[in-house]
Amino acid sequence: MYEVVVCLSLVSSAMLLGLMVVVLTVLRPLWSSLPDSGAARGFQAFLRFATPNPVLVVLNFVPVLGTVAILFLDGSGTRAMAFVGGGVFFVGYFVVTALVNTPMYAKVMAWDPESAPDEVSAQLARFHRVNVIRLAATAASAALFFAAA
């Protein structure tokens, strides 16, 4: 059972790592090439699909719940590595998302895309800076889960 939990946590973190790579390498240059009103509409469209997405919700919780489960499962000598991977994910991805991204998303969704506020560029820059942290956390946790599997 330990191996299943670690593998599920690995798959979840790796999939979120892929999402962070796409956001930073595809959406960032796309949005930066648009006028503020277009970037605001693009950001809002992305959030309309990403924030309530049940697959992403599950992917966000699996490594956290998996780490809790690891505490109670018989594991190999790599149990500590899996626990550290879960801790990195929890702090660097889950908590950062909850404390920084979620309030930002509410603010962005309240924008009138037809008259983009002056803060569009600043909010997008902040979003991408935070995503670098989340990318690093998902990469590190995936690597630790992989080593623990």
Short mmCIF file of all heavy atoms in Angstrom, two decimals, residues 31-105:
data_model
loop_
_atom_site.label_atom_id
_atom_site.label_comp_id
_atom_site.label_asym_id
_atom_site.label_seq_id
_atom_site.Cartn_x
_atom_site.Cartn_y
_atom_site.Cartn_z
N TRP A 31 0.28 35.69 -23.02
CA TRP A 31 -0.38 36.83 -22.37
C TRP A 31 0.47 38.09 -22.46
O TRP A 31 -0.07 39.18 -22.58
CB TRP A 31 -0.70 36.50 -20.92
CG TRP A 31 -1.78 35.46 -20.77
CD1 TRP A 31 -2.74 35.13 -21.69
CD2 TRP A 31 -2.01 34.61 -19.66
NE1 TRP A 31 -3.54 34.12 -21.21
CE2 TRP A 31 -3.12 33.78 -19.96
CE3 TRP A 31 -1.39 34.45 -18.43
CZ2 TRP A 31 -3.62 32.83 -19.08
CZ3 TRP A 31 -1.89 33.50 -17.55
CH2 TRP A 31 -2.99 32.71 -17.87
N SER A 32 1.79 37.96 -22.41
CA SER A 32 2.64 39.16 -22.48
C SER A 32 2.63 39.77 -23.88
O SER A 32 2.97 40.93 -24.05
CB SER A 32 4.06 38.85 -22.03
OG SER A 32 4.70 38.01 -22.96
N SER A 33 2.25 39.00 -24.89
CA SER A 33 2.19 39.53 -26.25
C SER A 33 0.88 40.26 -26.54
O SER A 33 0.74 40.87 -27.60
CB SER A 33 2.38 38.39 -27.26
OG SER A 33 1.23 37.57 -27.31
N LEU A 34 -0.06 40.18 -25.63
CA LEU A 34 -1.38 40.78 -25.83
C LEU A 34 -1.47 42.14 -25.13
O LEU A 34 -0.78 42.39 -24.15
CB LEU A 34 -2.46 39.86 -25.26
CG LEU A 34 -2.60 38.48 -25.87
CD1 LEU A 34 -3.59 37.64 -25.07
CD2 LEU A 34 -3.03 38.58 -27.32
N PRO A 35 -2.39 43.00 -25.62
CA PRO A 35 -2.67 44.21 -24.84
C PRO A 35 -3.31 43.80 -23.51
O PRO A 35 -3.82 42.69 -23.38
CB PRO A 35 -3.65 44.98 -25.73
CG PRO A 35 -4.19 43.99 -26.69
CD PRO A 35 -3.18 42.89 -26.83
N ASP A 36 -3.29 44.71 -22.55
CA ASP A 36 -3.80 44.38 -21.21
C ASP A 36 -5.21 43.81 -21.22
O ASP A 36 -5.52 42.87 -20.49
CB ASP A 36 -3.73 45.60 -20.29
CG ASP A 36 -2.34 45.85 -19.76
OD1 ASP A 36 -1.43 45.02 -20.02
OD2 ASP A 36 -2.14 46.87 -19.07
N SER A 37 -6.09 44.35 -22.07
CA SER A 37 -7.47 43.84 -22.08
C SER A 37 -7.51 42.39 -22.58
O SER A 37 -8.24 41.57 -22.04
CB SER A 37 -8.37 44.73 -22.96
OG SER A 37 -7.88 44.76 -24.29
N GLY A 38 -6.70 42.07 -23.58
CA GLY A 38 -6.64 40.70 -24.07
C GLY A 38 -6.00 39.76 -23.06
O GLY A 38 -6.46 38.62 -22.88
N ALA A 39 -4.96 40.22 -22.39
CA ALA A 39 -4.31 39.41 -21.35
C ALA A 39 -5.28 39.17 -20.20
O ALA A 39 -5.34 38.06 -19.66
CB ALA A 39 -3.05 40.10 -20.86
N ALA A 40 -6.05 40.20 -19.83
CA ALA A 40 -7.03 40.04 -18.75
C ALA A 40 -8.09 39.00 -19.13
O ALA A 40 -8.43 38.13 -18.33
CB ALA A 40 -7.69 41.39 -18.43
N ARG A 41 -8.58 39.09 -20.36
CA ARG A 41 -9.58 38.10 -20.82
C ARG A 41 -8.98 36.70 -20.85
O ARG A 41 -9.63 35.72 -20.47
CB ARG A 41 -10.12 38.49 -22.20
CG ARG A 41 -11.16 39.58 -22.15
CD ARG A 41 -11.89 39.73 -23.49
NE ARG A 41 -11.00 40.03 -24.60
CZ ARG A 41 -10.59 41.26 -24.93
NH1 ARG A 41 -11.00 42.29 -24.23
NH2 ARG A 41 -9.78 41.44 -25.97
N GLY A 42 -7.73 36.57 -21.31
CA GLY A 42 -7.07 35.27 -21.36
C GLY A 42 -6.86 34.69 -19.97
O GLY A 42 -7.08 33.50 -19.75
N PHE A 43 -6.43 35.54 -19.04
CA PHE A 43 -6.21 35.09 -17.66
C PHE A 43 -7.53 34.64 -17.06
O PHE A 43 -7.62 33.59 -16.42
CB PHE A 43 -5.59 36.24 -16.86
CG PHE A 43 -4.95 35.88 -15.57
CD1 PHE A 43 -4.81 34.56 -15.14
CD2 PHE A 43 -4.45 36.88 -14.74
CE1 PHE A 43 -4.19 34.25 -13.93
CE2 PHE A 43 -3.83 36.57 -13.54
CZ PHE A 43 -3.71 35.27 -13.12
N GLN A 44 -8.58 35.42 -17.27
CA GLN A 44 -9.89 35.05 -16.74
C GLN A 44 -10.41 33.75 -17.37
O GLN A 44 -10.97 32.91 -16.67
CB GLN A 44 -10.90 36.18 -16.96
CG GLN A 44 -10.67 37.37 -16.06
CD GLN A 44 -11.62 38.50 -16.35
OE1 GLN A 44 -11.97 38.75 -17.51
NE2 GLN A 44 -12.04 39.20 -15.32
N ALA A 45 -10.23 33.59 -18.66
CA ALA A 45 -10.67 32.36 -19.33
C ALA A 45 -9.93 31.16 -18.76
O ALA A 45 -10.54 30.11 -18.51
CB ALA A 45 -10.45 32.47 -20.84
N PHE A 46 -8.63 31.30 -18.57
CA PHE A 46 -7.85 30.22 -17.97
C PHE A 46 -8.40 29.86 -16.59
O PHE A 46 -8.61 28.69 -16.28
CB PHE A 46 -6.37 30.65 -17.87
CG PHE A 46 -5.53 29.72 -17.04
CD1 PHE A 46 -5.12 28.50 -17.53
CD2 PHE A 46 -5.16 30.08 -15.74
CE1 PHE A 46 -4.35 27.64 -16.76
CE2 PHE A 46 -4.39 29.23 -14.97
CZ PHE A 46 -3.98 28.00 -15.48
N LEU A 47 -8.66 30.88 -15.76
CA LEU A 47 -9.15 30.63 -14.41
C LEU A 47 -10.54 30.01 -14.40
O LEU A 47 -10.84 29.19 -13.53
CB LEU A 47 -9.14 31.93 -13.59
CG LEU A 47 -7.76 32.49 -13.27
CD1 LEU A 47 -7.89 33.81 -12.52
CD2 LEU A 47 -6.93 31.49 -12.48
N ARG A 48 -11.38 30.38 -15.36
CA ARG A 48 -12.72 29.78 -15.42
C ARG A 48 -12.66 28.27 -15.62
O ARG A 48 -13.52 27.53 -15.16
CB ARG A 48 -13.55 30.42 -16.54
CG ARG A 48 -14.31 31.64 -16.10
CD ARG A 48 -15.37 32.06 -17.10
NE ARG A 48 -14.84 32.41 -18.41
CZ ARG A 48 -14.30 33.59 -18.73
NH1 ARG A 48 -14.19 34.53 -17.80
NH2 ARG A 48 -13.87 33.83 -19.94
N PHE A 49 -11.63 27.81 -16.32
CA PHE A 49 -11.48 26.38 -16.55
C PHE A 49 -10.60 25.71 -15.50
O PHE A 49 -10.78 24.54 -15.19
CB PHE A 49 -10.92 26.10 -17.95
CG PHE A 49 -11.89 26.42 -19.03
CD1 PHE A 49 -11.79 27.61 -19.73
CD2 PHE A 49 -12.91 25.54 -19.34
CE1 PHE A 49 -12.71 27.91 -20.73
CE2 PHE A 49 -13.83 25.83 -20.33
CZ PHE A 49 -13.73 27.03 -21.03
N ALA A 50 -9.64 26.42 -14.96
CA ALA A 50 -8.67 25.81 -14.05
C ALA A 50 -9.14 25.74 -12.61
O ALA A 50 -8.91 24.73 -11.94
CB ALA A 50 -7.34 26.57 -14.12
N THR A 51 -9.79 26.78 -12.11
CA THR A 51 -10.09 26.80 -10.68
C THR A 51 -11.17 25.81 -10.25
O THR A 51 -11.03 25.22 -9.19
CB THR A 51 -10.43 28.22 -10.18
OG1 THR A 51 -11.45 28.77 -10.99
CG2 THR A 51 -9.22 29.10 -10.22
N PRO A 52 -12.23 25.59 -11.02
CA PRO A 52 -13.19 24.59 -10.54
C PRO A 52 -12.93 23.19 -11.10
O PRO A 52 -13.73 22.29 -10.90
CB PRO A 52 -14.51 25.13 -11.08
CG PRO A 52 -14.13 25.73 -12.40
CD PRO A 52 -12.75 26.33 -12.17
N ASN A 53 -11.83 23.01 -11.79
CA ASN A 53 -11.56 21.76 -12.48
C ASN A 53 -11.39 20.61 -11.48
O ASN A 53 -10.46 20.62 -10.67
CB ASN A 53 -10.30 21.91 -13.33
CG ASN A 53 -10.07 20.73 -14.22
OD1 ASN A 53 -9.98 19.61 -13.76
ND2 ASN A 53 -9.96 20.98 -15.51
N PRO A 54 -12.28 19.59 -11.52
CA PRO A 54 -12.20 18.51 -10.53
C PRO A 54 -10.90 17.70 -10.61
O PRO A 54 -10.40 17.22 -9.61
CB PRO A 54 -13.42 17.64 -10.84
CG PRO A 54 -13.92 18.07 -12.16
CD PRO A 54 -13.40 19.44 -12.44
N VAL A 55 -10.34 17.56 -11.81
CA VAL A 55 -9.08 16.83 -11.94
C VAL A 55 -7.97 17.58 -11.20
O VAL A 55 -7.19 16.99 -10.45
CB VAL A 55 -8.70 16.61 -13.42
CG1 VAL A 55 -7.31 16.03 -13.56
CG2 VAL A 55 -9.73 15.72 -14.10
N LEU A 56 -7.91 18.90 -11.39
CA LEU A 56 -6.88 19.69 -10.70
C LEU A 56 -7.09 19.70 -9.19
O LEU A 56 -6.12 19.68 -8.43
CB LEU A 56 -6.84 21.11 -11.25
CG LEU A 56 -6.37 21.24 -12.70
CD1 LEU A 56 -6.43 22.70 -13.16
CD2 LEU A 56 -4.98 20.68 -12.87
N VAL A 57 -8.33 19.71 -8.76
CA VAL A 57 -8.62 19.66 -7.32
C VAL A 57 -8.07 18.36 -6.73
O VAL A 57 -7.39 18.36 -5.71
CB VAL A 57 -10.14 19.82 -7.04
CG1 VAL A 57 -10.46 19.52 -5.58
CG2 VAL A 57 -10.59 21.21 -7.42
N VAL A 58 -8.34 17.25 -7.39
CA VAL A 58 -7.84 15.95 -6.91
C VAL A 58 -6.31 15.94 -6.92
O VAL A 58 -5.68 15.51 -5.94
CB VAL A 58 -8.41 14.79 -7.75
CG1 VAL A 58 -7.70 13.48 -7.45
CG2 VAL A 58 -9.91 14.66 -7.50
N LEU A 59 -5.71 16.43 -8.00
CA LEU A 59 -4.24 16.45 -8.08
C LEU A 59 -3.62 17.29 -6.96
O LEU A 59 -2.53 16.99 -6.48
CB LEU A 59 -3.78 16.98 -9.44
CG LEU A 59 -4.07 16.10 -10.65
CD1 LEU A 59 -3.66 16.81 -11.93
CD2 LEU A 59 -3.37 14.76 -10.53
N ASN A 60 -4.32 18.33 -6.54
CA ASN A 60 -3.82 19.18 -5.45
C ASN A 60 -3.86 18.46 -4.10
O ASN A 60 -3.02 18.73 -3.24
CB ASN A 60 -4.65 20.47 -5.35
CG ASN A 60 -4.19 21.53 -6.30
OD1 ASN A 60 -3.28 22.27 -5.98
ND2 ASN A 60 -4.80 21.59 -7.46
N PHE A 61 -4.83 17.60 -3.91
CA PHE A 61 -4.99 16.96 -2.61
C PHE A 61 -4.27 15.62 -2.47
O PHE A 61 -3.94 15.22 -1.35
CB PHE A 61 -6.48 16.79 -2.28
CG PHE A 61 -7.10 18.05 -1.77
CD1 PHE A 61 -7.80 18.89 -2.62
CD2 PHE A 61 -6.97 18.41 -0.43
CE1 PHE A 61 -8.36 20.07 -2.15
CE2 PHE A 61 -7.53 19.58 0.05
CZ PHE A 61 -8.23 20.42 -0.81
N VAL A 62 -4.03 14.91 -3.56
CA VAL A 62 -3.44 13.58 -3.47
C VAL A 62 -2.08 13.58 -2.75
O VAL A 62 -1.87 12.79 -1.83
CB VAL A 62 -3.36 12.89 -4.85
CG1 VAL A 62 -2.46 11.66 -4.83
CG2 VAL A 62 -4.75 12.51 -5.31
N PRO A 63 -1.12 14.45 -3.11
CA PRO A 63 0.16 14.42 -2.40
C PRO A 63 0.04 14.78 -0.92
O PRO A 63 0.77 14.26 -0.08
CB PRO A 63 1.03 15.44 -3.14
CG PRO A 63 0.41 15.54 -4.48
CD PRO A 63 -1.06 15.35 -4.27
N VAL A 64 -0.89 15.67 -0.60
CA VAL A 64 -1.09 16.07 0.80
C VAL A 64 -1.67 14.90 1.59
O VAL A 64 -1.15 14.52 2.65
CB VAL A 64 -2.00 17.31 0.89
CG1 VAL A 64 -2.32 17.65 2.34
CG2 VAL A 64 -1.34 18.50 0.18
N LEU A 65 -2.74 14.32 1.08
CA LEU A 65 -3.36 13.18 1.77
C LEU A 65 -2.44 11.96 1.76
O LEU A 65 -2.39 11.20 2.72
CB LEU A 65 -4.71 12.84 1.12
CG LEU A 65 -5.76 13.95 1.22
CD1 LEU A 65 -7.01 13.56 0.43
CD2 LEU A 65 -6.10 14.26 2.66
N GLY A 66 -1.70 11.79 0.66
CA GLY A 66 -0.73 10.70 0.58
C GLY A 66 0.34 10.80 1.65
O GLY A 66 0.75 9.80 2.24
N THR A 67 0.79 12.02 1.92
CA THR A 67 1.81 12.22 2.94
C THR A 67 1.28 11.88 4.32
O THR A 67 1.98 11.28 5.13
CB THR A 67 2.32 13.68 2.89
OG1 THR A 67 2.82 13.92 1.57
CG2 THR A 67 3.41 13.92 3.89
N VAL A 68 0.05 12.25 4.58
CA VAL A 68 -0.57 11.88 5.85
C VAL A 68 -0.67 10.36 5.95
O VAL A 68 -0.34 9.76 6.98
CB VAL A 68 -1.95 12.54 6.01
CG1 VAL A 68 -2.68 12.01 7.24
CG2 VAL A 68 -1.80 14.06 6.08
N ALA A 69 -1.09 9.72 4.86
CA ALA A 69 -1.21 8.25 4.85
C ALA A 69 0.15 7.59 5.07
O ALA A 69 0.23 6.56 5.75
CB ALA A 69 -1.83 7.79 3.55
N ILE A 70 1.20 8.15 4.52
CA ILE A 70 2.55 7.58 4.66
C ILE A 70 2.96 7.48 6.12
O ILE A 70 3.66 6.54 6.51
CB ILE A 70 3.57 8.41 3.84
CG1 ILE A 70 3.34 8.14 2.35
CG2 ILE A 70 5.00 8.11 4.23
CD1 ILE A 70 4.04 9.12 1.43
N LEU A 71 2.47 8.40 6.93
CA LEU A 71 2.79 8.34 8.36
C LEU A 71 2.27 7.06 9.02
O LEU A 71 2.83 6.60 10.00
CB LEU A 71 2.18 9.55 9.08
CG LEU A 71 2.80 10.90 8.80
CD1 LEU A 71 1.98 12.00 9.45
CD2 LEU A 71 4.23 10.94 9.28
N PHE A 72 1.18 6.52 8.47
CA PHE A 72 0.54 5.38 9.09
C PHE A 72 0.80 4.05 8.38
O PHE A 72 0.32 3.02 8.82
CB PHE A 72 -0.98 5.62 9.18
CG PHE A 72 -1.31 6.83 9.99
CD1 PHE A 72 -1.63 8.03 9.36
CD2 PHE A 72 -1.28 6.79 11.37
CE1 PHE A 72 -1.93 9.16 10.11
CE2 PHE A 72 -1.58 7.92 12.13
CZ PHE A 72 -1.90 9.10 11.49
N LEU A 73 1.54 4.12 7.28
CA LEU A 73 1.79 2.91 6.51
C LEU A 73 3.19 2.39 6.78
O LEU A 73 4.11 3.15 7.04
CB LEU A 73 1.65 3.19 5.01
CG LEU A 73 0.25 3.58 4.55
CD1 LEU A 73 0.29 4.02 3.09
CD2 LEU A 73 -0.71 2.41 4.71
N ASP A 74 3.32 1.08 6.69
CA ASP A 74 4.64 0.47 6.74
C ASP A 74 5.36 0.78 5.44
O ASP A 74 4.88 0.42 4.37
CB ASP A 74 4.53 -1.05 6.89
CG ASP A 74 4.85 -1.52 8.28
OD1 ASP A 74 5.35 -0.69 9.07
OD2 ASP A 74 4.60 -2.69 8.58
N GLY A 75 6.47 1.45 5.56
CA GLY A 75 7.21 1.79 4.36
C GLY A 75 8.63 1.32 4.45
O GLY A 75 9.11 0.88 5.49
N SER A 76 9.31 1.45 3.36
CA SER A 76 10.72 1.05 3.32
C SER A 76 11.57 2.15 3.94
O SER A 76 11.07 3.10 4.52
CB SER A 76 11.12 0.83 1.85
OG SER A 76 11.04 2.06 1.17
N GLY A 77 12.86 2.04 3.77
CA GLY A 77 13.78 3.04 4.27
C GLY A 77 13.61 4.38 3.58
O GLY A 77 14.18 5.38 4.01
N THR A 78 12.82 4.42 2.52
CA THR A 78 12.62 5.67 1.79
C THR A 78 11.39 6.43 2.29
O THR A 78 11.02 7.44 1.71
CB THR A 78 12.45 5.37 0.29
OG1 THR A 78 11.33 4.51 0.11
CG2 THR A 78 13.70 4.75 -0.30
N ARG A 79 10.82 5.98 3.36
CA ARG A 79 9.62 6.61 3.92
C ARG A 79 9.89 8.07 4.26
O ARG A 79 9.07 8.95 3.99
CB ARG A 79 9.17 5.84 5.14
CG ARG A 79 7.96 6.38 5.80
CD ARG A 79 7.57 5.51 6.97
NE ARG A 79 6.63 6.22 7.78
CZ ARG A 79 6.01 5.70 8.79
NH1 ARG A 79 6.22 4.45 9.11
NH2 ARG A 79 5.16 6.40 9.49
N ALA A 80 11.05 8.37 4.84
CA ALA A 80 11.39 9.75 5.19
C ALA A 80 11.47 10.62 3.94
O ALA A 80 11.04 11.77 3.95
CB ALA A 80 12.70 9.79 5.97
N MET A 81 12.01 10.06 2.87
CA MET A 81 12.13 10.81 1.62
C MET A 81 10.74 11.15 1.07
O MET A 81 10.50 12.26 0.60
CB MET A 81 12.93 10.01 0.60
CG MET A 81 13.44 10.84 -0.54
SD MET A 81 14.53 9.94 -1.64
CE MET A 81 15.77 9.31 -0.55
N ALA A 82 9.83 10.20 1.14
CA ALA A 82 8.46 10.43 0.68
C ALA A 82 7.79 11.48 1.56
O ALA A 82 7.07 12.36 1.06
CB ALA A 82 7.67 9.14 0.70
N PHE A 83 8.03 11.42 2.85
CA PHE A 83 7.44 12.40 3.76
C PHE A 83 7.98 13.80 3.48
O PHE A 83 7.23 14.77 3.46
CB PHE A 83 7.70 11.98 5.21
CG PHE A 83 6.97 12.84 6.19
CD1 PHE A 83 5.59 12.75 6.32
CD2 PHE A 83 7.65 13.75 6.98
CE1 PHE A 83 4.91 13.56 7.21
CE2 PHE A 83 6.97 14.56 7.87
CZ PHE A 83 5.59 14.46 7.99
N VAL A 84 9.28 13.92 3.23
CA VAL A 84 9.87 15.21 2.88
C VAL A 84 9.28 15.71 1.56
O VAL A 84 8.96 16.90 1.41
CB VAL A 84 11.42 15.13 2.81
CG1 VAL A 84 12.01 16.39 2.22
CG2 VAL A 84 11.98 14.87 4.20
N GLY A 85 9.13 14.82 0.58
CA GLY A 85 8.50 15.20 -0.69
C GLY A 85 7.11 15.76 -0.48
O GLY A 85 6.73 16.76 -1.09
N GLY A 86 6.35 15.13 0.39
CA GLY A 86 5.02 15.62 0.70
C GLY A 86 5.04 16.95 1.40
O GLY A 86 4.21 17.83 1.14
N GLY A 87 6.02 17.13 2.29
CA GLY A 87 6.15 18.41 2.99
C GLY A 87 6.51 19.54 2.03
O GLY A 87 5.96 20.64 2.13
N VAL A 88 7.41 19.25 1.11
CA VAL A 88 7.79 20.25 0.09
C VAL A 88 6.56 20.62 -0.75
O VAL A 88 6.30 21.80 -1.02
CB VAL A 88 8.93 19.73 -0.80
CG1 VAL A 88 9.13 20.60 -2.03
CG2 VAL A 88 10.22 19.60 0.00
N PHE A 89 5.80 19.62 -1.15
CA PHE A 89 4.60 19.87 -1.93
C PHE A 89 3.60 20.70 -1.12
O PHE A 89 3.05 21.68 -1.62
CB PHE A 89 3.93 18.55 -2.37
CG PHE A 89 2.71 18.79 -3.21
CD1 PHE A 89 2.82 18.92 -4.58
CD2 PHE A 89 1.46 18.90 -2.62
CE1 PHE A 89 1.70 19.17 -5.36
CE2 PHE A 89 0.33 19.16 -3.39
CZ PHE A 89 0.45 19.28 -4.76
N PHE A 90 3.39 20.30 0.13
CA PHE A 90 2.40 20.99 0.96
C PHE A 90 2.74 22.46 1.12
O PHE A 90 1.91 23.33 0.90
CB PHE A 90 2.28 20.30 2.33
CG PHE A 90 1.28 20.96 3.23
CD1 PHE A 90 -0.07 20.84 2.97
CD2 PHE A 90 1.69 21.72 4.31
CE1 PHE A 90 -1.01 21.47 3.79
CE2 PHE A 90 0.77 22.34 5.13
CZ PHE A 90 -0.59 22.23 4.88
N VAL A 91 3.99 22.76 1.48
CA VAL A 91 4.37 24.15 1.73
C VAL A 91 4.54 24.92 0.42
O VAL A 91 4.00 26.01 0.26
CB VAL A 91 5.67 24.22 2.57
CG1 VAL A 91 6.19 25.64 2.67
CG2 VAL A 91 5.44 23.63 3.95
N GLY A 92 5.29 24.34 -0.52
CA GLY A 92 5.65 25.07 -1.72
C GLY A 92 4.58 25.15 -2.79
O GLY A 92 4.62 26.03 -3.65
N TYR A 93 3.62 24.24 -2.75
CA TYR A 93 2.56 24.28 -3.76
C TYR A 93 1.20 24.54 -3.12
O TYR A 93 0.53 25.51 -3.43
CB TYR A 93 2.52 22.97 -4.57
CG TYR A 93 1.57 23.08 -5.74
CD1 TYR A 93 2.00 23.55 -6.96
CD2 TYR A 93 0.23 22.74 -5.61
CE1 TYR A 93 1.13 23.69 -8.03
CE2 TYR A 93 -0.65 22.88 -6.66
CZ TYR A 93 -0.20 23.35 -7.88
OH TYR A 93 -1.09 23.50 -8.93
N PHE A 94 0.81 23.67 -2.20
CA PHE A 94 -0.54 23.72 -1.64
C PHE A 94 -0.78 25.00 -0.84
O PHE A 94 -1.74 25.72 -1.07
CB PHE A 94 -0.76 22.48 -0.76
CG PHE A 94 -2.18 22.24 -0.36
CD1 PHE A 94 -3.04 21.58 -1.22
CD2 PHE A 94 -2.65 22.66 0.86
CE1 PHE A 94 -4.37 21.35 -0.85
CE2 PHE A 94 -3.96 22.43 1.23
CZ PHE A 94 -4.83 21.78 0.38
N VAL A 95 0.12 25.31 0.10
CA VAL A 95 -0.05 26.50 0.94
C VAL A 95 0.12 27.77 0.11
O VAL A 95 -0.65 28.73 0.27
CB VAL A 95 0.93 26.47 2.14
CG1 VAL A 95 0.93 27.79 2.89
CG2 VAL A 95 0.57 25.33 3.09
N VAL A 96 1.10 27.80 -0.78
CA VAL A 96 1.30 28.98 -1.63
C VAL A 96 0.06 29.20 -2.49
O VAL A 96 -0.40 30.34 -2.65
CB VAL A 96 2.57 28.82 -2.49
CG1 VAL A 96 2.63 29.86 -3.60
CG2 VAL A 96 3.81 28.90 -1.62
N THR A 97 -0.51 28.15 -3.02
CA THR A 97 -1.73 28.28 -3.83
C THR A 97 -2.86 28.86 -2.98
O THR A 97 -3.56 29.79 -3.41
CB THR A 97 -2.15 26.92 -4.41
OG1 THR A 97 -1.10 26.44 -5.25
CG2 THR A 97 -3.44 27.02 -5.20
N ALA A 98 -3.03 28.33 -1.78
CA ALA A 98 -4.13 28.77 -0.91
C ALA A 98 -3.95 30.21 -0.45
O ALA A 98 -4.91 30.99 -0.45
CB ALA A 98 -4.25 27.84 0.29
N LEU A 99 -2.75 30.58 -0.06
CA LEU A 99 -2.53 31.90 0.52
C LEU A 99 -2.27 33.01 -0.50
O LEU A 99 -2.57 34.17 -0.24
CB LEU A 99 -1.36 31.86 1.51
CG LEU A 99 -1.57 30.98 2.75
CD1 LEU A 99 -0.35 31.04 3.64
CD2 LEU A 99 -2.83 31.39 3.51
N VAL A 100 -1.68 32.66 -1.64
CA VAL A 100 -1.33 33.69 -2.63
C VAL A 100 -2.22 33.63 -3.87
O VAL A 100 -2.82 34.62 -4.25
CB VAL A 100 0.17 33.59 -3.03
CG1 VAL A 100 0.53 34.66 -4.05
CG2 VAL A 100 1.07 33.68 -1.81
N ASN A 101 -2.30 32.46 -4.48
CA ASN A 101 -3.02 32.37 -5.75
C ASN A 101 -4.53 32.52 -5.60
O ASN A 101 -5.15 33.23 -6.39
CB ASN A 101 -2.69 31.05 -6.46
CG ASN A 101 -1.31 31.07 -7.05
OD1 ASN A 101 -0.34 31.29 -6.35
ND2 ASN A 101 -1.21 30.84 -8.35
N THR A 102 -5.12 31.85 -4.63
CA THR A 102 -6.58 31.89 -4.51
C THR A 102 -7.11 33.31 -4.33
O THR A 102 -8.06 33.69 -5.04
CB THR A 102 -7.05 30.94 -3.39
OG1 THR A 102 -6.60 29.61 -3.72
CG2 THR A 102 -8.56 30.94 -3.25
N PRO A 103 -6.53 34.13 -3.43
CA PRO A 103 -7.01 35.52 -3.35
C PRO A 103 -6.77 36.30 -4.65
O PRO A 103 -7.60 37.13 -5.05
CB PRO A 103 -6.20 36.13 -2.20
CG PRO A 103 -5.72 34.98 -1.40
CD PRO A 103 -5.57 33.84 -2.36
N MET A 104 -5.66 36.02 -5.32
CA MET A 104 -5.37 36.68 -6.60
C MET A 104 -6.43 36.30 -7.63
O MET A 104 -6.89 37.15 -8.40
CB MET A 104 -3.98 36.26 -7.10
CG MET A 104 -3.55 36.94 -8.38
SD MET A 104 -2.04 36.28 -9.11
CE MET A 104 -0.98 35.98 -7.72
N TYR A 105 -6.82 35.03 -7.66
CA TYR A 105 -7.82 34.57 -8.61
C TYR A 105 -9.15 35.31 -8.41
O TYR A 105 -9.81 35.70 -9.39
CB TYR A 105 -8.06 33.07 -8.50
CG TYR A 105 -6.87 32.21 -8.80
CD1 TYR A 105 -6.85 30.88 -8.38
CD2 TYR A 105 -5.75 32.68 -9.48
CE1 TYR A 105 -5.76 30.06 -8.67
CE2 TYR A 105 -4.66 31.87 -9.75
CZ TYR A 105 -4.68 30.56 -9.34
OH TYR A 105 -3.60 29.75 -9.61
#
